[in-house]
Amino acid sequence: MKGNTAKKAQGTGASRTIMVSITLLIVSLAVIAGSFVFISKQNEMDQSHLTDAGELRVLSQRISTRASEASAGKEEAFALLREARNEFDKRFNALKSSRLSVIPALSPGDKAVADQIETLDTAWSELKVEADNILASEETVLTLHDVAITLGET
């Protein structure tokens, strides 16, 4: 009888160990699956932000070119400048209001990115005022350009 009781106690301990091992295995698999989902979502978010940043770079160059052309009296440059300014503003506002990471508490680098966005925001505010000034003076610039052409012909 004593041997039988010892075997039952030993069997219960072994089955408890197996249950704990299975539970740990399931928890580990859940953590791994969660990590894959997290990394996938973060990668998608990063790619979107990189695309937006690249597009902002192109738009800033377009704004610069169109502002120079508009200031020189090229009539079609005003509409293109307005379009580029509006697109930059739309994309930049979307970037400013977007989340930088899936779980912000786990992304210590977000502070550095937020600082860069704040710096860009300051620069964009100044540039936008200048672009608006050029657009507001469209009629004057075009008139002066026409006068210059007329004077050049005489």
Side-chain angles (χ1 to χ4, degrees), residues 11-80:
T12 304
S15 68
R16 191 172 290 156
T17 303
I18 291 173
M19 291 305 289
V20 168
S21 296
I22 290 173
T23 303
L24 288 175
L25 178 64
I26 292 171
V27 168
S28 297
L29 290 174
V31 168
I32 290 171
S35 295
F36 283 134
V37 170
F38 170 78
I39 290 169
S40 174
K41 294 290 184 189
Q42 187 64 49
N43 189 40
E44 287 175 23
M45 198 175 277
D46 290 345
Q47 286 301 318
S48 173
H49 290 138
L50 287 173
T51 300
D52 288 343
E55 188 62 30
L56 288 175
R57 185 177 300 118
V58 169
L59 286 167
S60 69
Q61 292 169 351
R62 195 174 298 158
I63 289 169
S64 173
T65 301
R66 300 306 179 220
S68 294
E69 291 173 348
S71 296
K74 190 173 180 183
E75 188 173 353
E76 56 274 0
F78 286 95
L80 296 172

Side-chain angles (χ1 to χ4, degrees), residues 89-151:
D89 200 42
K90 183 180 92 175
R91 284 185 178 267
F92 183 60
N93 286 330
L95 182 65
K96 281 194 317 186
S97 64
S98 69
R99 289 186 345 200
L100 298 175
S101 63
V102 176
I103 303 173
L106 297 179
S107 300
D110 285 356
K111 174 70 173 127
V113 173
D115 289 345
Q116 290 177 345
I117 289 174
E118 185 62 35
T119 301
L120 179 59
D121 190 26
T122 302
W124 170 238
S125 296
E126 294 171 9
L127 179 63
K128 187 177 179 186
V129 167
E130 296 303 323
D132 290 343
N133 288 341
I134 292 170
L135 292 170
S137 64
E138 177 178 3
E139 189 176 318
T140 305
V141 170
L142 293 176
T143 302
L144 288 174
H145 181 68
D146 290 342
V147 168
I149 289 174
T150 304
L151 289 175

